[in-house]
Amino acid sequence: QDFLVGYLTSPMAAEAPLLVLGHPGAGKSLLTQMLAARLPASDFLTVRVPLREVPAGADLQSQIETVVRADTGANTTWPELVATADRALPVVLLDGFDELLQATGQSQSDYLERITAFQQREADLGRPVAVVVTSRITVADRARPVFGMATLLLESFDDKQIARWLAAWAEWKIGRASCRERV
């Protein structure tokens, strides 16, 4: 948590993507869901893009706009969406680079470079954006790394960590239920 907050609030977050790697089931998608839910809206405009649900051959902006349209029903463009953010930093969570590769059956070796070009364009237009990309470790070598890119490796939980996580989750659910009862 400290690393992610530190990264997203640093200038480097708007210069190159953060690549989150892990084996299947390591929690990459859950991490993006938790980030989307927990980043404060006053500081971050978060858009989660499950790459298996967008046109694989589309450019990044079109992929983002496809998800926004699916989630809201509105044909909102990226610039229009960012204009609503006030001073919140846009954060795009691209979940499933490995699934994008499977969907296209084509090389996507320049995908991280295209993300960085998107970030550079947005920064030049006064709209800096942070991008997080998740992928399975086994396909990470299919995308050329970019200068300034940070990489985070998610390790699978062991049995003790799973038990602690489930206990924390249960405690959260109980607390949430008691809050509802009071309302």
Side-chain angles (χ1 to χ4, degrees), residues 71-125:
D71 289 349
T72 66
N75 284 323
T76 304
T77 67
W78 173 251
E80 292 168 342
L81 180 64
V82 172
T84 69
D86 195 22
R87 288 190 272 174
L89 175 69
V91 177
V92 176
L93 307 169
L94 301 170
D95 185 32
F97 172 67
D98 49 297
E99 295 180 57
L100 182 73
L101 288 172
Q102 291 172 347
T104 62
Q106 302 172 9
S107 171
Q108 295 279 347
S109 61
D110 66 341
Y111 193 66
L112 298 174
E113 293 165 342
R114 288 185 281 144
I115 292 169
T116 303
F118 174 79
Q119 288 180 284
Q120 182 62 56
R121 181 196 79 189
E122 291 300 298
D124 290 346
L125 293 170

Side-chain angles (χ1 to χ4, degrees), residues 53 65-74:
E53 297 176 11
E65 290 170 354
T66 297
V67 168
V68 171
R69 186 172 28 263
D71 289 349
T72 66

Side-chain angles (χ1 to χ4, degrees), residues 10-180:
S10 74
M12 67 188 288
E15 296 173 5
L18 169 65
L19 180 61
V20 178
L21 299 174
H23 291 292
K28 300 175 300 293
S29 293
L30 182 58
L31 175 66
T32 63
Q33 292 169 355
M34 294 298 290
L35 280 174
R38 304 241 3 221
L39 288 175
S42 59
D43 299 321
F44 301 98
L45 170 68
T46 308
V47 180
R48 183 175 178 273
V49 180
L51 291 172
R52 70 181 158 277
E53 297 176 11
V54 297
D59 68 327
L60 180 55
Q61 182 170 329
S62 297
Q63 290 174 334
I64 296 166
E65 290 170 354
T66 297
V67 168
V68 171
R69 186 172 28 263
D71 289 349
T72 66
N75 284 323
T76 304
T77 67
W78 173 251
E80 292 168 342
L81 180 64
V82 172
T84 69
D86 195 22
R87 288 190 272 174
L89 175 69
V91 177
V92 176
L93 307 169
L94 301 170
D95 185 32
F97 172 67
D98 49 297
E99 295 180 57
L100 182 73
L101 288 172
Q102 291 172 347
T104 62
Q106 302 172 9
S107 171
Q108 295 279 347
S109 61
D110 66 341
Y111 193 66
L112 298 174
E113 293 165 342
R114 288 185 281 144
I115 292 169
T116 303
F118 174 79
Q119 288 180 284
Q120 182 62 56
R121 181 196 79 189
E122 291 300 298
D124 290 346
L125 293 170
R127 303 184 303 236
V129 57
V131 179
V132 177
V133 183
T134 70
S135 181
R136 291 182 181 182
I137 293 174
T138 56
V139 300
D141 63 338
R142 296 194 191 165
R144 286 186 297 273
V146 294
F147 180 78
M149 180 180 78
T151 304
L152 177 67
L153 176 63
L154 292 182
E155 294 286 345
S156 298
F157 285 0
D158 61 27
D159 290 341
K160 192 178 212 178
Q161 290 169 317
I162 292 170
R164 282 197 341 245
W165 191 87
L166 289 173
W169 181 260
E171 185 177 316
W172 177 81
K173 296 271 289 180
I174 291 169
R176 190 171 170 200
S178 65
C179 285
R180 283 190 203 151

